[in-house]
Amino acid sequence: MYTKILNFYILLFSFAMLGKTEHAAAQAPDTLQLSLPEAEKLFVQHNYQLIAQHYQTEQARAEIITARLFDNPELSLETQLYNPDTKRFFETSRANGQYQGAVSQLIKLAGKRNKNIRLATAGAELAEYQYFDLMRTLRYNLRSNFYKTYFAQQNAKLYQQQISSLQQLLSASAQQLKLGNIAMKDLIRIKSLVYGLQSEYNNLENDIEDMQTDLKLMTSIKPETSLQLVADPSAAENYQLSKQAYVNLLDSARSNRADLKLIRSGITYAENNLKVQQANAVPDIQVSLVYDLKSSYPENYTGLGLYVPLPLFNRNQGEIKKAKIAVDAGKAQLAQQEAILENEVSNSYKTALRTENLYQGLDKDFSADFDKLIGEVIKNFRNRNISLIEFMDFYDSYKQSTLQMNDLKYQRMNAKEEINYVTGSTIFK
C-alpha cells in the first residue's frame, strides 16, 4: 500500500515537472538560425516599404489605362415643365408639347491623347525606377546590418567565454584566499575585471538587440524571435577585389544605377509633359447633334453644332514655361548625379582597397595562435608562474585583438557590399 502511494506521488510530481517544462518552453523565445540568402528572401517577400512602393508602381501603370480611354459622349435633354395653355406638366405631345435633345462628343486635337499616353508610360517607368532604387538602398542596409550583427554576435561569444573562464578563476582564487595563498587585492582585481567584462557584454547585447530589431523590421520576422545569424565562409573567401578594375566598376555604375536611371527617366517624363502642355495650347473641338421639336425653325429641327474655344488670352503659357524649366532642371540634376556617382565609386573602391590590403597583410594564424596562448596563460597564472598584472594585461590584449579582428572582417564585408551598392549590381556575391 505504501509503495502504491509513493508511486502515485512520484507520478504526480513527474506530471507537474513536465507541465512546468512545457510552460517554460512555451515562454522561451524562439531562436531562428538565419543566413544571408534566407534574410534576402524574406526581405523581398515581406518588406513593407517595398510592398508599398510596388503598389505605387501599379498605380502609375493604371494611369496608362486612363490615358488610353476616349472621352465619353454627352447627352442632354430638355422638356417644358408646365404648359399654361393645356395646364399640363411635362407636355411632350407633337400638338402641344416641346422638347429638345443633343448628343455631343469632344474631339482632342494636336495628338493630345497619344502624348498623354506617352506621358503616363514615362510616369510608370519613373515609378519602376523608384522601386528599384529603393530596393538597392534597402538591400544594402539589410546586408550591411546582417554582417554587422553577425560579427557583433561573434564578439558576444568572446565575452561569454572570457566571463565564464574568469568566473571559474575567481571561484578558484576565492578558495586560494581562504588558504592564504593569494592576497585580497588580487581577488578584488579579478572581480573588477569580471564586472568590467560583464558591463561591456551587457552594452554589446543591447546593441545587438537594436541591430536585430532592424533586421526583423526589414524581413517581417516576429519581434519575440531571437536571431542566430549564420555567415557563409565562401563569401569572404571568394571576395577578391584585385580582380575588379576601377574602370569596370565605374562603367557598371553608369549602366546599372537605378537612381541615375530614375533621373534620366525624370527628364523623359519632363520632355513628354512639355509636349502635352504645348498640345494643350491648341483648343479642342466639340461636335454635337441637336434635335428640337418646336422651339426652332423649322419644327422638328435637326442641327449639327461645333464648339471651339478661341485661344486669345490663355494659351497655356504658364504650364509650358514650367515644363521647360523642369526639363532644364532635370538635365542639371543628371550632371550632378553623374558627378556624385563617380565620387561614390572612387571613394568606395579606395576604402575597399585599403581595407583589403590591411586584411591581407595580417597573419591568418594569428587568431588560432592567440587562442592557444590564452589557455597557457591561464594555466601559468593558476600555477603562479606569472603575476596578476601580466595576466590581466594579456587578457585585455587578447580581447582587444579579437574585437579588432572581427571589426576588420566586418569592414571588409561591408566594403564588398558598398561596392555592390554604388555600382547598382552584384559585383561580389
Side-chain angles (χ1 to χ4, degrees):
M1 183 68 179
Y2 174 77
T3 304
K4 291 182 179 180
I5 294 174
L6 179 61
N7 289 336
F8 173 76
Y9 278 109
I10 292 174
L11 183 62
L12 185 63
F13 176 76
S14 299
F15 278 116
M17 292 303 295
L18 180 61
K20 289 183 178 180
T21 304
E22 291 177 348
H23 178 71
Q27 294 297 322
D30 295 331
T31 300
L32 174 65
Q33 287 193 339
L34 187 68
S35 65
L36 185 54
E38 292 170 341
E40 284 191 296
K41 184 177 180 180
L42 291 173
F43 159 73
V44 173
Q45 292 176 346
H46 303 295
N47 184 268
Y48 292 121
Q49 287 181 270
L50 282 182
I51 293 173
Q53 186 62 47
H54 174 71
Y55 287 142
Q56 292 184 14
T57 303
E58 291 301 313
Q59 287 179 336
R61 291 196 183 109
E63 291 293 333
I64 301 176
I65 300 175
T66 302
R68 286 175 176 167
L69 299 177
F70 291 95
D71 291 288
N72 292 322
E74 295 181 0
L75 173 66
S76 64
L77 295 172
E78 180 181 338
T79 184
Q80 61 179 343
L81 177 63
Y82 178 74
N83 189 332
D85 295 333
T86 62
K87 297 186 171 46
R88 292 180 181 177
F89 287 92
F90 304 109
E91 183 72 59
T92 59
S93 65
R94 183 173 295 275
N96 301 309
Q98 160 60 17
Y99 61 86
Q100 66 177 3
V103 177
S104 60
Q105 175 67 53
L106 180 67
I107 300 175
K108 292 184 176 180
L109 303 180
K112 290 187 181 69
R113 178 175 173 273
N114 291 331
K115 289 181 174 65
N116 276 287
I117 292 174
R118 286 193 288 268
L119 180 64
T121 303
E125 186 179 66
L126 199 65
E128 287 177 357
Y129 285 131
Q130 287 173 340
Y131 175 83
F132 293 140
D133 191 48
L134 178 64
M135 169 78 79
R136 179 180 73 100
T137 302
L138 292 180
R139 189 187 295 275
Y140 167 70
N141 292 339
L142 173 75
R143 295 178 68 92
S144 178
N145 194 19
F146 181 93
Y147 283 119
K148 187 175 183 179
T149 307
Y150 170 77
F151 287 110
Q153 288 183 342
Q154 302 310 303
N155 291 339
K157 291 179 181 179
L158 168 68
Y159 277 101
Q160 290 171 349
Q161 293 170 357
Q162 286 200 331
I163 291 172
S164 176
S165 177
L166 285 174
Q167 284 176 338
Q168 294 177 12
L169 180 62
L170 181 62
S171 178
S173 299
Q175 296 297 326
Q176 292 296 317
L177 178 64
K178 293 178 181 179
L179 298 175
N181 294 330
I182 65 171
M184 175 62 75
K185 63 179 182 179
D186 292 338
L187 184 65
I188 292 176
R189 285 178 179 174
I190 297 174
K191 284 184 178 180
S192 176
L193 180 59
V194 172
Y195 295 155
L197 287 175
Q198 288 175 333
S199 178
E200 291 177 14
Y201 174 70
N202 183 68
N203 293 334
L204 178 60
E205 283 292 291
N206 290 336
D207 292 339
I208 291 174
E209 189 64 36
D210 292 339
M211 289 183 280
Q212 284 195 18
T213 299
D214 292 338
L215 283 175
K216 291 172 189 176
L217 286 173
M218 296 189 73
T219 55
S220 296
I221 295 175
K222 294 181 180 180
E224 63 271 15
T225 303
S226 178
L227 299 180
Q228 184 62 47
L229 303 186
V230 180
D232 185 4
S234 63
E237 295 171 0
N238 296 334
Y239 168 53
Q240 296 180 358
L241 182 63
S242 58
K243 292 186 176 181
Q244 293 294 333
Y246 169 72
V247 176
N248 294 338
L249 298 179
L250 189 59
D251 290 341
S252 178
R254 287 169 176 163
S255 301
N256 299 310
R257 280 275 291 260
D259 57 343
L260 197 64
K261 293 181 179 179
L262 178 63
I263 295 176
R264 289 170 180 161
S265 180
I267 295 174
T268 302
Y269 181 86
E271 290 173 344
N272 281 306
N273 184 51
L274 175 59
K275 293 177 181 178
V276 168
Q277 299 306 327
Q278 289 172 338
N280 286 340
V282 179
D284 299 325
I285 63 173
Q286 188 169 7
V287 179
S288 61
L289 181 64
V290 182
Y291 174 78
D292 193 305
L293 181 62
K294 284 189 176 182
S295 65
S296 297
Y297 179 83
E299 292 185 357
N300 297 319
Y301 169 81
T302 301
L304 181 66
L306 184 67
Y307 302 89
V308 182
L310 300 179
L312 298 179
F313 307 108
N314 183 357
R315 296 186 299 276
N316 207 31
Q317 299 96 319
E319 294 300 323
I320 292 174
K321 185 175 182 180
K322 283 167 57 178
K324 289 180 179 178
I325 293 173
V327 173
D328 294 336
K331 292 178 179 178
Q333 189 179 3
L334 178 61
Q336 173 69 11
Q337 191 62 32
E338 287 175 342
I340 292 174
L341 179 146
E342 292 177 6
N343 279 277
E344 286 181 348
V345 174
S346 176
N347 182 50
S348 298
Y349 182 74
K350 291 177 182 177
T351 301
L353 201 58
R354 284 192 296 268
T355 304
E356 189 64 16
N357 290 337
L358 178 60
Y359 178 79
Q360 295 298 334
L362 294 178
D363 183 4
K364 298 300 182 293
D365 298 326
F366 176 79
S367 297
D369 294 341
F370 223 80
D371 291 341
K372 294 178 182 177
L373 189 57
I374 191 66
E376 295 297 323
V377 169
I378 295 174
K379 184 186 298 183
N380 279 289
F381 177 69
R382 287 176 175 171
N383 295 331
R384 303 177 64 82
N385 294 330
I386 61 174
S387 67
L388 177 61
I389 294 177
E390 291 175 319
F391 169 76
M392 293 180 69
D393 286 344
F394 188 87
Y395 222 73
D396 185 65
S397 297
Y398 171 73
K399 182 193 70 173
Q400 293 299 329
S401 298
T402 305
L403 294 179
Q404 289 172 2
M405 178 62 73
N406 285 337
D407 183 63
L408 180 59
K409 290 178 180 178
Y410 160 69
Q411 290 182 25
R412 184 171 180 259
M413 290 295 96
N414 190 61
K416 169 179 75 76
E417 295 304 327
E418 189 166 333
I419 287 179
N420 289 340
Y421 171 71
V422 298
T423 57
S425 54
T426 308
I427 302 295
F428 303 106
K429 294 183 179 180

